[in-house]
Amino acid sequence: MKNKNLLYLGILVVLLAIAGWLLTSRNDGGTLERKMDYNFTIKDTADIDKIVIKDKSPAEVTLTREGKEWILDNKYRARQGAVKTLLGTLYRMELKNFIPERMKETVIKRMAVFGKEVQIYKNGELFKTIYVGTETPDEMGTYMMIKGSDAPYAVHMPGFNGFLSTRFFTQQHLWKSRDVTRMDPRNIREVTMVYPDSSSASFKIQMFSPDSIFVTQLSTGKVLRNVNKVKTRLYIGSAARMKYEGAILPTDPISARRDSLLASNPVFEITVKDTNGKTTSLEGYHIKAPEGMTNDAGIEHKYDPDRMHGFINKEDMVLIQYAGLIEIIKPISFFVTP
């Protein structure tokens, strides 16, 4: 009897071992047994060279690595900080917990309506596609699903309290860099600043070499002789790094006045030309001050003292700040040595 019990026990152990092997090696779409189904973490983000994000609106953005920078939709320089945040999310996000069977259908349905598809490429090849859904009920995780798996999972980022779906956005203007110009000052050939209401303050700077810089008054065509070279070089450096505050979208009410603004005189128009002949222009237009806005002396402002509407290359409508362009909006007298 004892030998029979030992035999039965041995058979039971073997059966349990076989069952365990089947559960861990089966390929029928199970969840607990297929680690690849919930392996959301991407450790070698340095190999990622393209990310495509799509939503159901439909909207789509493509981020491509070119050298040390990321380019948006093969046209614009992307906000490098935003891309860094996204890559950091892909590096750190991991499984938080499995979803109860009774909830899976609901989560998948919501993902089909509100979800985003994220395609991740490495070295030019599609590496992984992740579907990003809505937040978990406790708002401490985000439902995600890897393409090819059979179920979604709750995903989080250790040390971060919140959901991750907002990091996978598809609005182009949010990914786009807020640079008007971004170049090496040594590659600038010419800067022209025009003040339509003050032609005597308008000027042109021409740089043929670091030691050969000329400032010309546009209204007279005369080249200044007593130019402050330090101020001139600082100005060129500022012209190489101009930024705007934010994009104005077609849905914004002011966008309806786009044509009328372009038909009027701007406060200023600056044009930067590089050594390859590429030109970038920025125009600024007054914004009417809110009624009742006064200065420290109690005098009512006619125009907003902090911001202007702007156009980059007469195409992209943006919001610009006086403070951000304080080193740019200068009259020709700024360059004259006392």
Side-chain angles (χ1 to χ4, degrees):
M1 178 67 74
K2 184 175 181 181
N3 290 336
K4 284 186 178 180
N5 289 338
L6 290 174
L7 176 63
Y8 293 149
L9 179 61
I11 293 173
L12 179 62
V13 170
V14 171
L15 290 175
L16 288 174
I18 293 173
W21 178 81
L22 288 173
L23 284 173
T24 56
S25 64
R26 60 188 289 194
N27 194 32
D28 60 359
T31 56
L32 287 172
E33 67 278 4
R34 286 175 32 118
K35 186 176 181 180
M36 68 184 74
D37 286 354
Y38 52 87
N39 185 21
F40 293 93
T41 306
I42 302 177
K43 290 299 184 183
D44 47 349
T45 56
D47 293 335
I48 296 176
D49 51 21
K50 187 168 78 169
I51 302 172
V52 181
I53 308 174
K54 306 177 184 179
D55 66 19
K56 305 294 182 178
S57 57
E60 177 179 336
V61 293
T62 300
L63 300 162
T64 308
R65 190 196 297 267
E66 293 187 8
K68 295 182 179 180
E69 292 192 334
W70 285 82
I71 304 300
L72 170 65
D73 294 336
N74 297 316
K75 185 177 180 180
Y76 305 104
R77 183 176 182 271
R79 284 199 300 125
Q80 307 303 299
V83 178
K84 184 178 180 180
T85 297
L86 177 59
L87 292 174
T89 301
L90 295 174
Y91 178 83
R92 294 179 57 201
M93 69 185 192
E94 61 183 39
L95 174 72
K96 183 175 187 286
N97 56 257
F98 297 94
I99 300 176
E101 193 67 33
R102 59 184 171 78
M103 291 182 57
K104 288 182 181 179
E105 184 177 354
T106 299
V107 171
I108 291 174
K109 285 182 178 179
R110 286 182 59 81
M111 192 173 287
V113 177
F114 303 107
K116 300 168 187 174
E117 179 183 290
V118 183
Q119 298 175 352
I120 301 159
Y121 291 75
K122 284 186 177 182
N123 302 315
E125 299 291 335
L126 180 61
F127 169 71
K128 185 178 293 188
T129 298
I130 300 173
Y131 300 107
V132 179
T134 55
E135 65 272 13
T136 56
D138 62 2
E139 297 188 348
M140 300 295 284
T142 304
Y143 292 124
M144 295 189 188
M145 183 173 176
I146 297 174
K147 185 176 182 179
S149 67
D150 69 335
Y153 302 85
V155 177
H156 75 143
M157 195 166 66
F160 174 76
N161 296 326
F163 45 92
L164 306 176
S165 56
T166 55
R167 300 186 176 205
F168 300 88
F169 47 89
T170 55
Q171 296 94 329
Q172 187 189 71
H173 70 279
L174 295 179
W175 281 111
K176 188 177 178 182
S177 168
R178 295 187 176 92
D179 294 321
V180 177
T181 55
R182 184 179 178 82
M183 63 183 74
D184 189 327
R186 293 171 296 183
N187 292 333
I188 289 181
R189 175 59 57 85
E190 187 175 288
V191 180
T192 303
M193 174 61 92
V194 176
Y195 300 102
D197 293 335
S198 182
S199 60
S200 61
S202 303
F203 58 87
K204 177 189 291 186
I205 300 174
Q206 294 172 293
M207 186 171 71
F208 299 101
S209 73
D211 297 317
S212 180
I213 304 175
F214 298 91
V215 180
T216 304
Q217 186 175 36
L218 293 181
S219 61
T220 63
K222 293 182 179 180
V223 177
L224 298 185
R225 293 185 177 181
N226 52 339
V227 171
N228 187 310
K229 292 184 178 180
V230 173
K231 286 186 175 182
T232 305
R233 291 193 181 96
L234 288 174
Y235 188 90
I236 292 172
S238 298
R241 291 288 188 273
M242 292 189 293
K243 292 181 176 292
Y244 62 90
E245 180 180 357
I248 295 176
L249 306 179
T251 53
D252 293 330
I254 187 59
S255 183
R257 293 188 52 215
R258 164 187 193 97
D259 292 339
S260 61
L261 281 175
L262 284 171
S264 63
N265 281 337
V267 178
F268 72 89
E269 180 178 4
I270 183 171
T271 303
V272 181
K273 180 185 293 186
D274 67 17
T275 52
N276 293 320
K278 179 184 176 181
T279 61
T280 302
S281 67
L282 174 66
E283 301 171 51
Y285 295 83
H286 281 307
I287 297 176
K288 186 177 180 181
E291 187 175 351
M293 178 183 282
T294 60
N295 59 21
D296 294 338
I299 300 174
E300 189 168 353
H301 285 291
K302 182 177 180 181
Y303 301 113
D304 188 317
D306 300 314
R307 292 174 173 83
M308 287 183 282
H309 292 131
F311 286 94
I312 301 173
N313 296 329
K314 298 187 183 296
E315 294 180 0
D316 297 331
M317 194 173 183
V318 297
L319 194 65
I320 55 181
Q321 294 182 345
Y322 283 102
L325 297 173
I326 192 170
E327 302 298 334
I328 291 295
I329 305 175
K330 300 287 189 182
I332 191 171
S333 58
F334 170 75
F335 304 101
V336 178
T337 301

